[in-house]
Amino acid sequence: SAVISQKPSRDICQRGTSLTIQCQVDSQVTMMFWYRQQPGQSLTLIATANQGSEATYESGFVIDKFPISRPNLTFSTLTVSNMSPEDSSIYLCSSPGPGNTIYFGEGSWLTVV
Amino acid sequence: KQEVTQIPAALSVPEGENLVLNCSFTDSAIYNLQWFRQDPGKGLTSLLLIQSSQREQTSGRLNASLDKSSGRSTLYIAASQPGDSATYLCAGSTNDYKLSFGAGTTVTVRA
């Protein structure tokens, strides 16, 4: 299976600030994805992190709010910009692994106060 | 856009009873169907993946079936244990690995 590590695991952030979440995969992967899970909700895809090009965002998500970097085939970052309490969520990184199974990191739990 | 529905939203059973969790999806052109487990305060753990050409997958006490024509998948957990208490999520994927999730079924197994 693929091992995906995320940092930070948890953080409490002040309104109006920005936070960058890191995602590291233990092997080179073509595709990496970022999801959001709001309290009591299921997961929603934010964007696909493309290596060497701009991320592809899903409807309702924009680059100014969620800038994403993908500098190489094992690493990606997601920044949550100008945070408000509505951004309090779990942010999860994922990638396909062996046998097309999709694996997730442990998530980054953000609370905005 | 793939819509995924899970029924029931919550389930409480005594230990030893078999669990049946249902998942339905709207787009029969689904690529893969994957079941996940999420414990409180944790990320997602992959349980089973059923590829579009398959009808079922088994792992230990878990068995998942896929019927593309009716747009349904079922996860069976045999002889439930308190350690099976968690939220179970099903997700359908496209051929570019994007997942559409159901809202989940929260399972409580009573000792």
Side-chain angles (χ1 to χ4, degrees):
Chain A
S1 65
V3 176
I4 301 177
S5 304
Q6 285 186 233
K7 287 195 292 189
S9 56
R10 293 179 184 274
D11 209 339
I12 299 173
C13 307
Q14 294 295 318
R15 187 191 302 244
T17 62
S18 299
L19 182 77
T20 296
I21 303 166
Q22 299 178 7
C23 177
Q24 178 78 50
V25 186
D26 67 344
S27 59
Q28 292 188 340
V29 293
T30 305
M31 311 189 78
M32 294 178 74
F33 302 92
W34 287 98
Y35 288 81
R36 180 176 74 180
Q37 187 177 29
Q38 294 178 297
Q41 306 285 321
S42 192
L43 282 78
T44 301
L45 179 63
I46 297 172
T48 304
N50 302 308
Q51 198 271 328
S53 64
E54 211 167 82
T56 306
Y57 290 84
E58 299 298 309
S59 175
F61 297 96
V62 296
I63 188 171
D64 289 346
K65 178 66 176 177
F66 298 102
I68 288 171
S69 78
R70 179 87 192 272
N72 57 50
L73 291 176
T74 64
F75 188 78
S76 177
T77 67
L78 169 76
T79 298
V80 186
S81 301
N82 188 25
M83 286 186 283
S84 67
E86 292 70 35
D87 295 319
S88 297
S89 297
I90 310 169
Y91 293 88
L92 298 110
C93 171
S94 79
S95 180
N100 293 327
T101 297
I102 298 172
Y103 295 94
F104 281 80
E106 283 288 304
S108 297
W109 298 63
L110 267 54
T111 301
V112 184
V113 296
Chain B
K1 184 180 185 292
Q2 182 76 266
E3 300 288 339
V4 181
T5 303
Q6 291 188 247
I7 295 172
L11 189 57
S12 178
V13 300
E15 183 176 4
E17 193 164 301
N18 297 332
L19 289 163
V20 180
L21 309 181
N22 297 301
C23 172
S24 62
F25 48 90
T26 55
D27 186 355
S28 62
I30 193 169
Y31 193 63
N32 292 327
L33 192 291
Q34 196 163 346
W35 284 91
F36 296 89
R37 168 182 173 142
Q38 186 174 32
D39 293 284
K42 301 287 189 180
L44 272 65
T45 300
S46 177
L47 297 174
L48 289 168
L49 168 74
I50 311 175
Q51 299 191 16
S52 60
S53 59
Q54 299 173 320
R55 294 297 299 270
E56 67 176 342
Q57 281 288 329
T58 298
S59 176
R61 294 184 294 111
L62 276 60
N63 173 276
S65 65
L66 176 63
D67 184 341
K68 291 180 62 177
S69 61
S70 66
R72 293 182 184 178
S73 178
T74 304
L75 177 67
Y76 300 89
I77 303 176
S80 61
Q81 304 168 357
D84 295 328
S85 298
T87 296
Y88 292 83
L89 297 162
C90 76
S93 72
T94 59
N95 59 2
D96 57 0
Y97 300 105
K98 296 181 180 181
L99 290 172
S100 296
F101 280 86
T105 295
T106 299
V107 171
T108 303
V109 181
R110 308 186 303 271

